[in-house]
């Protein structure tokens, strides 16, 4: 039986998603001076990512590569301009790292990209790892979008596509309550996850799972766990429908400072390393 509606073309959906993130970053930057520099930097990265995504799509169609994934040559040739962009326009500490990575020589890049792509069990810690994962992110979204994910009954706390930890949560209205889903810190896959359950250690006693909010970001919850001392931020779309979770997560950096001052460690840092 044919499908009722033709499948939605990936690129159209994804393009508008990048643009939404960029516009949201610009609008939040104008409102929150403390996050303006990071958001402006994020917007530049997101523009590059969108562009790279489109070129990867094209490369996949052309299938020019003799061995390895057809997108590999495009990835490798895009890394230098990416590093230049960050070196020239990123915040000082990241710019230096990009500059050094660029000078490390093209010959080492394929292995380095591969290492970052495959380092699933070890969350990124070094600025050069975050920087590289941000570069690879559109590729991860691209590959994931072509693989049907089996999410029915999926209850784990790790990403169903790349097995990394979630970087944030999203809450949506459902009936009288809210439904929580988690977003992968790398490939941005989204999957449902029980609300009263720690994605870090599986704690399910609500008394050990305090939730904090602050007036400035009333639609973002800091969901903590007193058992494993981690936290994750969840963006409540039922309270703020215009939020772009990935971007609002970056903008709400005062909540991270607060949580960390109170002894909680972020479950997985975002790709700006925050
Ligand atoms: Zn993932
Ligand atoms: Zn926990």
């Amino acid at each position: 039986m044919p499908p009722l509606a033709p499948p939605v073309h990936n690129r159209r959906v994804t393009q508008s998603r990048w643009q939404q993130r960029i516009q949201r970053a610009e609008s939040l930057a104008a409102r929150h001076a403390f996050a303006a520099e990071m958001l402006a930097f994020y917007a530049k990265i997101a523009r590059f990512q969108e562009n790279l995504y489109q070129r990867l799509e094209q490369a996949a169609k052309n299938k020019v590569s003799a061995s390895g994934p057809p997108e590999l040559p495009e990835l490798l040739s895009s890394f230098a301009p990416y590093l230049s962009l960050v070196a020239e326009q990123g915040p000082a500490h990241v710019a230096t790292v990009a500059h050094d990575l660029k000078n490390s020589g093209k010959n080492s890049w394929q292995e380095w990209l591969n290492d970052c792509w495959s380092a699933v069990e070890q969350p990124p810690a070094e600025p050069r790892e975050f920087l590289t994962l941000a570069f690879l992110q559109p590729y991860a979204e691209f590959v994931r979008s072509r693989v049907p994910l089996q999410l029915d009954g999926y209850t784990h706390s790790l990403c169903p596509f790349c097995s990394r930890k979630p970087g944030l949560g999203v809450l949506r209205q459902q009936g009288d309550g809210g439904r929580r889903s988690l977003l992968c810190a790398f490939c941005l896959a989204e999957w449902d996850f029980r609300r009263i359950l720690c994605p870090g250690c599986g704690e399910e006693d609500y008394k050990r799972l305090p939730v904090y909010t602050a007036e400035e970001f009333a639609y973002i919850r800091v969901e903590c766990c007193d058992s494993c001392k981690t936290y994750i931020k969840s963006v409540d779309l039922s309270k703020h429908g215009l939020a772009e979770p990935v971007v609002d997560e970056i903008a709400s950096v005062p909540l991270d400072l607060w949580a960390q001052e109170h002894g909680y460690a972020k479950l997985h840092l975002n790709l700006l390393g925050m």
Side-chain angles (χ1 to χ4, degrees), residues 159 161-164 184 186-189:
C159 170
F161 173 69
C162 75
S163 300
R164 284 177 171 84
C184 173
F186 179 48
C187 77
L188 300 182

Side-chain angles (χ1 to χ4, degrees), residues 12-31:
R12 292 180 62 93
V13 173
T14 311
Q15 263 179 334
S16 72
R17 203 164 53 212
W18 298 109
Q19 284 304 320
Q20 282 168 6
R21 291 177 198 155
I22 293 165
Q23 281 167 21
R24 182 65 178 161
E26 286 167 348
S27 118
L28 286 173
R31 220 171 311 154

Side-chain angles (χ1 to χ4, degrees), residues 198-203 209 224-230:
C198 169
C201 71
E203 178 61 73
L209 299 170
C224 301
C225 174
D226 284 332
S227 292
C228 68
K229 288 306 221 183
T230 63

Side-chain angles (χ1 to χ4, degrees), residues 46-98:
R47 262 187 213 100
F48 185 94
Q49 289 178 328
E50 176 178 35
N51 212 285
L52 176 59
Y53 190 97
Q54 289 163 6
R55 281 181 280 125
L56 291 170
E57 269 190 324
Q58 203 51 50
K61 276 185 208 139
N62 296 343
K63 289 197 168 68
V64 287
S65 173
S67 65
E71 304 85 14
L72 186 60
E74 183 61 58
L75 269 183
L76 286 172
S77 65
S78 298
F79 200 41
Y82 171 73
L83 293 174
S84 299
L85 170 81
V86 178
E88 285 157 24
Q89 302 188 36
H93 69 287
V94 194
T96 314
V97 175

